[in-house]
Structures are given as structure tokens and as C-alpha cells.
Amino acid sequence: MAEQTEPNHENIERLPLKNYTEKAYLDYSMYVILDRALPHVGDGLKPVQRRIIYAMSELGLSATSKHKKSARTVGDVLGKFHPHGDSACYEAMVLMAQEFSYRYPLIDGQGNWGSPDDPKSFAAMRYTESRLSPFAKLLLQELGQGTVEWVPNFDGTLQEPSLLPARVPNVLLNGTTGIAVGMATDIPPHNLREIVSACVRLLESPKATLEELCVHVQGPDYPTEAEIITPRTDIEMMYRTGSGSMRMRACYRRENGDIVITALPHQVSGAKVLEQIAAQMQAKKLPLVEDLRDESDHENPTRLVITPRSSRVDVERLMAHLFATTDLERSYRVNMNVIGLDGRPRIRNLREMLVEWLQFRTATVRRRLQYRLDKVLTRLHILEGLLVAYLNIDEVIAIIRNEDAPKPVLMQRFGISDQQAEAILELKLRHLAKLEEMKIRGEQDELAAERDELEKILGSDRRLKTLIRNELQADAEKYGDQRRSPLVERSAARALDETALFSAEPVTVILSEKGWVRAAKGHEVDVESLSYKAGDRFKSSAIGRSNEQAVFLDSTGRTYSLAVHQLPSARGHGEPLTGRIAPPAGTSFQSVMLGAADKRYLLASDAGYGFIARLGDLYAKNKAGKSVLTLPDNAAALPPVELGTEDGMVAVVTSDGRLLLFPVSELPQMARGKGNKMIGISPAGLAAREEFVKGVAAVPPGGSLTIHAGRRHINLKGGDLTYYIGERGRRGRKLPRGFQKVDKLLCR
């Protein structure tokens, strides 16, 4: 039996758990920030995107080559550079191939690469084929020219570029989104020609301000023709701070009475928009729309047809409602957070982003020129040695034939370097012809001219800037295009009030004594002759429009509002109000009011107090209603009185046959409260319910007042009415005998 040895604890490092977990999480956070989620300002790519582009270039998948299975590319990326999940890698590849996702796609795909309606509906990587797009050449063209640093791959067996030598500021052209640990990035895409124009302005005027750069960069340019409606001042503020938001709105036109949507905001699905509109139609919240159709096809990628219910529908208001309630108008967050040349992530404004990219581009071009200059100088050095050999060809041949180690002999005899001697020894016999000497001298002249030009550019910042400017302008001319997303300054859309969505048809709302309500079409309705339930009868009615709110007043002074279009039809007995609202127990409904929001009503209690209120102030937002009229003890609310003019008279009659008239202007206009005293009533009489206000009426100028008491009535007008006019708050004058018990008042 083998002996058991004690474990050796000498090489075990002990750390507090707090320190270990903190370091582990910080290391993970920095990895996610720097090596996964955020792009670099130099090439505007995340590591996985950079590795996909580089792997495809190594596979020879240029824009002029044949397409190759995407699975081959993903396999190379995972096996050589990016040991992560294949689905995540393939999704990153798909995104760079979708024309509706990338402003300037980097991959040319063949097969099903998704659609605007469902970007994730792409086929599996074993079915699709791909190659690099022509635009990707701007990222790879200078890769083998000493322009970037090379780093070992994950297992140290291969080298990969730390950055791609982008010839244009791709970080702004295609934009990107990413969520790291504790930070995120949302960079919108831009137009190549506008960005290059701003770069040229910075090269020519390094002190150009942000406002001057915004003359060239009008705003983001998404891969869709939908409008950017963000105000110009907000766009400039977004570029100044590096963060903000953008709003896009769909474009539409009228065709034979239909509304045709021709462009949707970025990454908005037409199918989802139709679902959102259809959901409102099914919920009966969009009566202005009769039909929806999706007529999109290959020639018209976006063609959504909305058919209004009639030609009288206000299309502008309907579309404003749809913009506010569907994805036809959408907001996009902007947060220009990138990894800078110092390797640190930071939010940068537009000017900082362009200045830093131009520093990267200047360093890249300088390295490219220096790399070429070194190659030219090396070749000139070798050509000088070859020319020595041709001028002394016989002696060179003799040394090579007779010496065991000809290189040091050649170096000593002709004063040439080791590199030149090695080139002479590697000459083939076919190159010993007399014609080769002429070729060497011609090549020397060409390389000398190139050397002089390179040294001039490297020795002059002005020449270097000119070269960068010319290359930028040439690339913009070759790969640039016109702006796709028009900039149209508009205010954000607002959803219409529910009543505004319905046609304004004339209606009459009828309220019964037991609180049943219904609505009849038209204003010429004989409400008394309608059928009522057994034991019930007519109480009140009001005329208005179907797109208005009906307001009901109960005996406690509370008001309740319901949309008229939701009320039951007058073909039946209607529905009890208590099924839709929740009044206090034991209350009864006094009246119904209807009309425009600025319509005025006189609200009064039978204690003799009252005030004037706008109908709009009486609208209630919930079932419990709104407390409007404050009632004294032992008092009840009276039916409200509609006021037609401001210069009429208020008639108040009490239960013991007293009548008082005073000007309407003496009552205040309030939203809620008790009101002012209209007629004097003894508190004791009110407490015992022996004296109270029986009715209130509004008498227009030149009008008459009819008072009913049982089967008798009296008509007062002119001088008869003047007799009862007095100061507000007085007791009033007694009516003639027989009218001490008034039933109702009527005004004409």
C-alpha cells in the first residue's frame, strides 16, 4: 500500500474573497468593454467584426471572387481568431451583410440573409454564401503595407491585425450598438460624402468649430428613406455632447383616396406596424380606418396601404395619431462611446471623433509611406550592387568559380555590403545579358524619383495632409452616394383624444329617472314618446355630437363623463349608468349635459347657491366621478341650466312661491365649489325642508318665463318680469295666489 503524502501548501496564494472577486469582475468587465462590445475609433469595428473581415480576406473572398459558403468563413474565424459561439459569430456576419441594417454593407451575401420585416429570419450558415463587398476594400487595401500592429491570436500560432487600416471613418459611416459592463454605445450611421467633407474641412482648417463641421454633416443617414424629424438644434446638441436621441417618421403619400406608406423608420417591421394598427381597429379604437393591406414586393420593398373609412377623414390627423401610437414614428438613442487611440472608452462629440480618426489616419499613412520608402531604399541599395556586378561581370564570375567562400571576397574586392553580395550570388544566368544593365538603370531612375517624392511627403505636414485629403475625396467619389434619410423638421406626433377619432354625427342623449341612458341619432328626437322600462320615465336629454363627452350630474353634486359613441343605441331601453360609473350609494341622477368643452352651465343647489361652469371643467377621468358642486347640509343639487348668452337673467323660484331675477353676470365662473348666494332662504326652513329652491332658469334678453304649478301656468314677460328683478341674494317677490307650489320653469 502506497504511503499517503500530506498536501504541499507552500505555493498556494491566499487572498481575501473580496479582493479576488473584485479583481475577477474588473478583469471580466475590461474584457467585455475592450474586446467584445465597443468599437475602436480607428476602424469602427468590434473584435469579432474585425476578425470576420480579416478571415474572409485571408480566404481570398474579395469582391471579385466567387461566393463561398458562410460556414467556411465562420469555421476559420472560430478556429483561428475568435474561439466563441458559432451562432453569435454568424449573427455578427449577417448584420454586416444586411443592406437594411448597415448603411455601407461590408459583406456581399447570396441566399436568405433576412428581411426588414424579420431581420433574424436568415438561413443557416450552411446554406448561405458570402464574399466581401467592394466597400470592404477600404478597410483592407493597406493591410500588408506596414500600416498596423500585428498581435498573436488566442493560441499564439498565428498573427492577426490589432486594427484594420481604414481609409474612411467607418466608425461614423456604419455606426454600431453595443452593451458592455457599466456602459453602452449607440452610434448612428452617416453619409460617406458628408463625413469626408467634414474631414477635409478639418484638414484644411484644424481649428474648425463644431458648428462649422455641422455645415458639412447635416445629421445621421440611415439605410432607409424615412424622414429624420429631429430639430436642427437638437441634432447639433447631440453632436456637441456625443449623446442624445433621434426621431424618424415614415413617409406616405395619397393614392386614389388611400394612404400609401413608402418608407419605414430604421429597423421597423412593416408587418409589426400593420399588427399595431389592426389591434387598434379590433379594439374599436380606430374607426377612421376601414382596411389595411401589405402590397410590398421586389419593386416596392415598402408599400403599406391604409384605406380611410370615408373621404371626409382628416388624413393629417389620422397619420399624426398613427405616428404617436405605432412604430411609424420611432426614437433612437445616440451615445457615441468608442475606444480611443489611448485604448480607453469615452463618449466623444463629433469634432473629437473626427480629429481622433484623422490622427489615426495620419499615422497610418505615415507608416505606409515609411514602409514603402524603406522598400525603395533597400531595392536601390541592391540595384547598386547589381550594377557593380554587371560592370565587372568577368571578374565577378571568376571569383565565384575560384573561391570557396565568394561572398567575403566580393565584399572586399568591390566594397559592397552583405545584402548586395547575397543578391549578386543569387543572380540567374539568364539575367547576365547586356540588356539587363539598361533595365537596372531604368529601374534605378524610377525608384529614385519615387524615393524623392516619398521623402518630400514625409518631410512636409502640408504635403501629407494634401495626400490624405486627395485619397479621402477619391474614395468618397467612388463609394459615396446621395443622402437617403431626408431631414425634415417636424414636431413630435401626439395621439388624438379618443373622441376625436370618431365622426361628429348629431346625436341626442336620453337619461331616465332610474338612471338608464341611451343615445339616438339626430337632434329631432321625441324623447317623451320613447319606450321606457316599467315604472321608469323620461328625466333629461341633451343634444350634441357623437365625438363629444356626455356629462351626468348626480344629486350629491358629482359629475361623471362618458364618451357618446360608447353609449347604447336608443332602439332599446339603454343601459343603467351604474354599470359604467360608480356613484355613491343612494344617489340619483339629475341631468345630462352635452356639447363643446366651452359650453357654459349654471350649477345650483336647492339651498340657493350657484355658479357658472364650463362643460370642459366638468369632465371626470374615472368611474368615481368628480366632486364639482359643494352642497350645504340638507341640500341637494338641482338640474343644471344651459346658458346661451352672458347678458341674460337668472330666474330663481322657491318652494313657497317666491321669484327673483338678477343678471347672469353677477354669478362667478368656477370649476368647482359652493358658488354665490342667489336667493335668500331661512336656514330653519331649509333644515326642515319647508323652504328650498324649486327651480332655476336662464331668461335671454327679451325672453319670457313660464311657471307651471299643477295644471295652472303663468307666462311672464316684459314689465311682468321687471317686477321680480332684484339684488342677488334677496328673498324675491311672491308669485300670484295658486303658484305657491311651483312644478317647473320654462324659458323662451
Side-chain angles (χ1 to χ4, degrees), residues 53 57 134-145 147 164-167 361 368 471 475 478-479:
I53 298 299
S57 70
F135 184 82
K137 186 178 180 181
L138 296 179
L139 301 177
L140 298 164
Q141 185 173 338
E142 301 173 357
L143 188 58
Q145 301 178 20
T147 50
L164 296 183
R167 292 172 59 93
R361 181 60 186 159
R368 185 190 80 198
E471 289 179 350
D475 291 336
K478 183 176 181 180
Y479 297 100

Side-chain angles (χ1 to χ4, degrees), residues 95-339:
L95 192 67
M96 292 189 288
Q98 292 177 338
E99 294 184 353
F100 49 86
S101 295
Y102 258 44
R103 182 64 177 82
Y104 300 96
L106 300 176
I107 294 176
D108 176 17
Q110 188 169 274
N112 178 14
W113 289 82
S115 66
D117 280 344
D118 188 3
K120 293 191 178 293
S121 63
F122 49 85
M125 58 184 172
R126 62 182 178 273
Y127 299 120
T128 61
E129 298 179 343
S130 58
R131 64 183 179 187
L132 292 170
S133 68
F135 184 82
K137 186 178 180 181
L138 296 179
L139 301 177
L140 298 164
Q141 185 173 338
E142 301 173 357
L143 188 58
Q145 301 178 20
T147 50
V148 294
E149 298 290 340
W150 293 77
V151 295
N153 68 337
F154 65 91
D155 60 2
T157 58
L158 295 170
Q159 294 285 311
E160 61 174 316
S162 60
L163 293 173
L164 296 183
R167 292 172 59 93
V168 291
N170 182 60
V171 66
L172 287 172
L173 298 181
N174 278 317
T176 189
T177 60
I179 300 175
V181 178
M183 60 180 63
T185 183
D186 291 277
I187 304 174
H190 290 78
N191 185 272
L192 174 58
R193 291 179 179 174
E194 291 183 6
I195 294 296
V196 166
S197 179
C199 290
V200 171
R201 178 63 179 270
L202 271 176
L203 287 171
E204 295 175 347
S205 305
K207 295 184 179 180
T209 63
L210 183 71
E211 290 73 14
E212 292 172 339
L213 295 179
C214 286
V215 174
H216 302 272
V217 182
Q218 298 295 311
D221 187 21
Y222 294 89
T224 173
E225 296 178 359
E227 299 174 346
I228 295 176
I229 64 171
T230 306
R232 180 68 180 172
T233 54
D234 291 353
I235 294 178
E236 290 185 1
M237 181 59 67
M238 179 264 292
Y239 283 140
R240 182 176 293 107
T241 60
S243 60
S245 65
M246 302 294 299
R247 293 192 73 85
M248 293 195 77
R249 179 179 291 182
C251 296
Y252 69 94
R253 62 171 182 263
R254 299 293 303 276
E255 284 187 11
N256 301 323
D258 291 338
I259 303 169
V260 180
I261 299 172
T262 57
L264 293 171
H266 183 47
Q267 293 180 333
V268 168
S269 164
K272 184 179 179 182
V273 169
L274 292 181
E275 288 178 8
Q276 292 172 335
I277 300 175
Q280 294 188 47
M281 295 173 64
Q282 291 174 357
K284 297 183 178 180
K285 293 183 177 180
L286 196 60
L288 301 181
V289 176
E290 181 179 3
D291 189 26
L292 293 174
R293 296 191 305 278
D294 187 354
E295 297 182 355
S296 304
D297 53 25
H298 182 69
E299 294 183 359
N300 301 289
T302 301
R303 184 178 170 84
L304 308 180
V305 182
I306 302 173
T307 304
R309 187 164 295 278
S310 70
S311 59
R312 297 190 303 272
V313 171
D314 189 338
V315 173
E316 297 293 332
R317 297 183 68 192
L318 170 60
M319 291 306 298
H321 175 77
L322 294 178
F323 288 143
T325 57
T326 69
D327 284 345
L328 288 176
E329 182 174 314
R330 191 170 175 182
S331 179
Y332 301 86
R333 186 179 63 178
V334 176
N335 185 38
M336 298 199 290
N337 188 7
V338 297
I339 300 172

